[in-house]
Amino acid sequence: MPSLHRRPADAPPRIIPEVVDPRVEALVHELIGRVADKWTMLILETLEEKGELRFTQLSREIGTISQKMLTQTLRQMERDGLIKRTIHPVVPPKVEYRLTALGQSLGAAFCGVWIWAEENLAKVHDARETFEKAARA
């Protein structure tokens, strides 16, 4: 499965480092918050990288999401067909979440945001500095 910060296999070839610049990652997360539901995209990325996870594992991987928001987001994602929830009939109940093909395709569509952030990190930084200088003047 392709990682969200790499181009899909059918995209034109491009060398992408295995280790992502944390500044690029931070910019992508910031942009996701503006153009899409941040939690949905972070859940997509986490499930893409880690595979099938239980609720507590998913919560721990994301780190900054409340239990209520994670529950709401997972329900919406399941409703939209992005994830599959599997309930195992054991005591206590074991519930796992994994991406569907639809969820994987949404993640692949967001590869472009990672690539754009890598290519434009310095320009965004410069624009912000220019803006801040003008605002202080």
Side-chain angles (χ1 to χ4, degrees), residues 26-85:
L27 181 58
V28 169
H29 286 216
E30 199 176 311
L31 291 171
I32 288 170
R34 291 189 186 118
V35 300
D37 174 36
K38 175 172 93 173
W39 300 122
T40 298
M41 296 312 298
L42 292 175
I43 291 168
L44 283 172
E45 179 182 16
T46 302
L47 291 174
E48 179 70 39
E49 290 177 0
K50 304 291 182 175
E52 192 170 58
L53 293 174
R54 294 180 73 171
F55 184 93
T56 53
Q57 294 171 312
L58 192 51
S59 178
R60 196 174 19 245
E61 288 292 329
I62 294 173
T64 56
I65 190 169
S66 70
Q67 184 174 344
K68 179 182 176 183
M69 185 56 66
L70 180 56
T71 299
Q72 289 174 352
T73 306
L74 288 170
R75 283 184 185 151
Q76 185 62 48
M77 292 174 72
E78 184 180 10
R79 180 177 180 263
D80 292 339
L82 302 175
I83 61 169
K84 170 77 173 149
R85 182 176 70 148

Side-chain angles (χ1 to χ4, degrees), residues 116-135:
W116 182 92
E118 276 184 337
E119 294 172 351
N120 292 287
L121 178 65
K123 292 175 187 174
V124 171
H125 177 71
D126 291 345
R128 289 177 176 175
E129 279 189 0
T130 300
F131 179 86
E132 293 300 323
K133 286 178 185 174

Side-chain angles (χ1 to χ4, degrees), residues 3-17:
S3 179
L4 295 183
H5 57 273
R6 293 189 191 94
R7 287 183 184 241
D10 56 344
R14 176 172 150 70
I15 298 172
I16 307 254

